[in-house]
Amino acid sequence: MGIFIKNDSQIALMRTACHICARTHELLEKYIKPGITTEELCKIAEEYIRGQGAKPSFLGYRGFPKAICTSVNEHVIHGVPGLRRLKSGDIISIDIGVCYKRFHGDAARTHPVGKITPEHQRLIDVARDSFFESIIYARQGFHLHEMSAAIEDYVKGHGFSVVQEWCGHGIGRQLHEDPSIPHYRQEKRGPRLVKGMTLAVEPMINAGGHELNMLDDTWTVVTHDGKFSAHYENTFLVTTGEPDIMTL
């Protein structure tokens, strides 16, 4: 397919999608408390996204049945919203995609529910911070592998593991475009970054091992050892200088 370099008008549409995505995350954060169900969070998100003149990117994507992904505790990604009621001590990863005039924005955050353990808070923090370690190299002239290596080095240095079966991606007119972006060290350099690339980097890190299982719903990915997992993602634009993080 090749890497799709965006022009100014396409970037403007993506920026709107990303802004709506960021605001949806901000809205949901206010509701993440013990007692709420993941389905209630999904309905709040979908109503807000549609109210902004956009659509949830995930709804119907490859058959996914809901507007957002809600992954709790040992759930890594693609958790399907439902009747599960959050309780104090849980952590929840929420992944949101927004489509505005055929262009997408994508971001994920992991939140504590009520009072959580210091170790689970550290897991959330390391997932987030590993993203920001990676985008030091997200500028024209660097290569993809430098972002990938930065994530793994940071995560392993804090005693956690990096999920390897799922990766980040290009994004734009399609929710998932070239290139694929692993979150662990690569032997090859990968593509050279150039101005106009729009990428979604989304480290998923586990408190235990990196091995995964799939639940019977055929969507929800979980840790093999049952230990907690955290996920952090932003969509950003490669420039000649600092990357432009559009979902913040």
Side-chain angles (χ1 to χ4, degrees):
M1 184 169 63
I3 297 173
F4 175 23
I5 305 300
K6 314 304 187 296
N7 61 34
D8 288 347
S9 62
Q10 292 163 339
I11 290 167
L13 293 174
M14 285 192 68
R15 197 177 299 283
T16 299
C18 288
H19 179 72
I20 296 167
C21 187
R23 293 294 299 273
T24 308
H25 273 292
E26 290 173 1
L27 176 64
L28 289 186
E29 190 171 7
K30 300 174 184 177
Y31 291 92
I32 297 172
K33 296 176 182 177
I36 197 166
T37 67
T38 54
E39 178 64 28
E40 287 170 326
L41 292 173
C42 183
K43 288 179 178 177
I44 292 165
E46 183 172 1
E47 182 178 337
Y48 180 78
I49 291 166
R50 293 191 185 279
Q52 304 304 304
K55 297 178 182 179
S57 299
F58 299 166
L59 184 61
Y61 182 71
R62 298 179 180 173
F64 189 76
K66 298 290 183 175
I68 64 173
C69 299
T70 52
S71 304
V72 182
N73 297 344
E74 75 281 5
H75 295 181
V76 180
I77 48 170
H78 304 159
V80 181
L83 299 179
R84 181 170 185 163
R85 203 170 292 278
L86 299 181
K87 64 182 187 301
S88 185
D90 288 341
I91 69 173
I92 181 169
S93 299
I94 296 180
D95 196 355
I96 300 174
V98 171
C99 183
Y100 179 77
K101 296 185 178 178
R102 297 180 62 199
F103 281 83
H104 297 268
D106 190 6
R109 307 281 186 264
T110 301
H111 302 276
V113 182
K115 184 174 177 60
I116 67 171
T117 69
E119 184 68 0
H120 290 151
Q121 183 61 57
R122 195 168 72 88
L123 180 73
I124 293 172
D125 294 343
V126 170
R128 180 194 63 230
D129 293 347
S130 71
F131 169 85
F132 289 100
E133 287 292 316
S134 76
I135 63 163
I136 292 170
Y137 305 98
R139 60 175 71 200
Q140 181 162 283
F142 286 94
H143 287 81
L144 207 61
H145 81 104
E146 291 169 287
M147 288 195 293
S148 301
I151 291 171
E152 183 177 45
D153 290 350
Y154 187 81
V155 171
K156 284 192 170 181
H158 286 80
F160 299 128
S161 66
V162 179
V163 169
Q164 299 186 8
E165 288 88 340
W166 302 89
C167 58
H169 51 93
I171 182 170
R173 191 175 279 125
Q174 305 296 325
L175 181 60
H176 294 100
E177 298 180 349
D178 287 340
S180 294
I181 308 169
H183 303 119
Y184 55 95
R185 187 174 288 279
Q186 301 292 294
E187 291 182 6
K188 297 181 179 179
R189 293 194 304 173
R192 182 177 176 273
L193 301 181
V194 298
K195 179 181 177 182
M197 283 183 177
T198 46
L199 307 173
V201 168
E202 51 177 318
M204 297 149 257
I205 76 169
N206 297 343
H210 67 81
E211 297 85 2
L212 306 177
N213 293 332
M214 180 80 75
L215 293 187
D216 290 342
D217 64 11
T218 71
W219 285 108
T220 308
V221 178
V222 301
T223 60
H224 178 71
D225 56 19
K227 294 186 177 180
F228 281 19
S229 185
H231 183 197
Y232 187 86
E233 175 185 24
N234 282 307
T235 298
F236 62 88
L237 169 69
V238 176
T239 74
T240 55
E242 294 288 331
D244 180 354
I245 306 174
M246 297 188 286
T247 46
L248 285 181

